[in-house]
Amino acid sequence: MIRSSLLIAAASIAVSGALSGCALLASPDPVQLYRFGGASAYAGTGATSACPDVHVAMRRVDFPEAARGDRILAVTGAEAAYIKGARWVSPAETLFEEALRNAFADGGTCTVLSGGPLTRDGLLLSVDVRRFEAAYAAPGAVPEANIVVLLRLIRPGDRTIVAEDRITVSENAGENRQSAIVAAFDRATAEASRQIVLWTDQQGFQATRD
């Protein structure tokens, strides 16, 4: 009886030790959280201060599936992966939309983003982000933060496309380090936001005159 108890106790210790070993092996790697969108996008839109208000409702910003969420996408030629040990503090599409809305609030000369029903002459802005990635020319090279955005201004009444364009922004990271790559995304987002505000001001102003 004593011998059986000792065997059971020994087996329990062995199982416990094995489970502890598994827990140690399964412990996740440390992850550093980052954000972008803090850089100021406003550097003057170039639109006339006398332009009338252009009321625009912005659709939810669309992102490519691979770049959505909190992982940082890196691309080398035809290969794609996520940067190990680094995550966005919020989904990338959320941070990008926040940065863009702030840019409109700070630098939109004509554009008034509408949170409610559009006015009769209001427009709908579609922002379709096609690329949001750290692009490497070769493994281990210094990457660039690449952003490609398709823009459309639409009249909601008849769904007429008033204007459409494509914006491409690239910012070199300077170093192949996480913090440098994040800083490049921050600068690229600021520049893309500035260009989107400028484009919306100009095209929206033109639409009110047609």
Side-chain angles (χ1 to χ4, degrees):
M1 187 71 175
I2 293 175
R3 180 181 175 84
S4 298
S5 298
L6 288 173
L7 288 173
I8 293 172
S12 298
I13 292 171
V15 171
S16 177
L19 291 175
S20 297
C22 289
L24 289 173
L25 291 174
S27 60
D29 293 330
V31 173
Q32 178 63 50
L33 296 180
Y34 294 98
R35 65 174 296 118
F36 62 88
S40 175
Y42 180 59
T45 62
T48 171
S49 60
C51 66
D53 286 346
V54 179
H55 289 262
V56 174
M58 187 170 73
R59 284 177 171 170
R60 184 181 297 275
V61 173
D62 195 19
F63 253 59
E65 184 175 354
R68 291 177 197 160
D70 63 356
R71 294 181 295 179
I72 304 176
L73 178 65
V75 175
T76 307
E79 298 182 357
Y82 295 103
I83 296 177
K84 184 178 180 180
R87 297 288 180 100
W88 300 123
V89 70
S90 298
E93 59 272 30
T94 300
L95 293 175
F96 188 90
E97 184 167 326
E98 288 175 355
L100 181 53
R101 289 187 179 278
N102 288 337
F104 272 111
D106 293 340
T109 304
C110 302
T111 307
V112 178
L113 285 186
S114 174
L118 280 173
T119 62
R120 184 172 59 85
D121 297 326
L123 299 170
L124 185 64
L125 174 63
S126 171
V127 180
D128 182 5
V129 178
R130 292 299 180 90
R131 287 189 181 179
F132 193 85
E133 62 197 29
Y136 288 79
V142 174
E144 292 187 342
N146 284 352
I147 301 177
V148 177
V149 185
L150 298 184
L151 298 173
R152 284 183 177 176
L153 268 181
I154 304 165
R155 292 192 193 279
D158 58 6
R159 311 300 295 178
T160 300
I161 297 175
V162 174
E164 57 184 334
D165 206 349
R166 178 187 179 100
I167 289 175
T168 300
V169 176
S170 293
E171 286 285 340
N172 192 282
E175 299 177 75
N176 188 20
R177 291 191 302 110
Q178 288 182 6
S179 58
I181 294 169
V182 169
F185 273 112
D186 199 33
R187 295 192 302 273
T189 298
E191 176 59 19
S193 297
R194 188 191 70 80
Q195 290 190 32
I196 292 170
V197 171
L198 173 59
W199 181 85
T200 306
D201 268 358
Q202 291 175 337
Q203 299 302 325
F205 175 59
Q206 184 62 41
T208 64
R209 303 177 63 184
D210 292 342

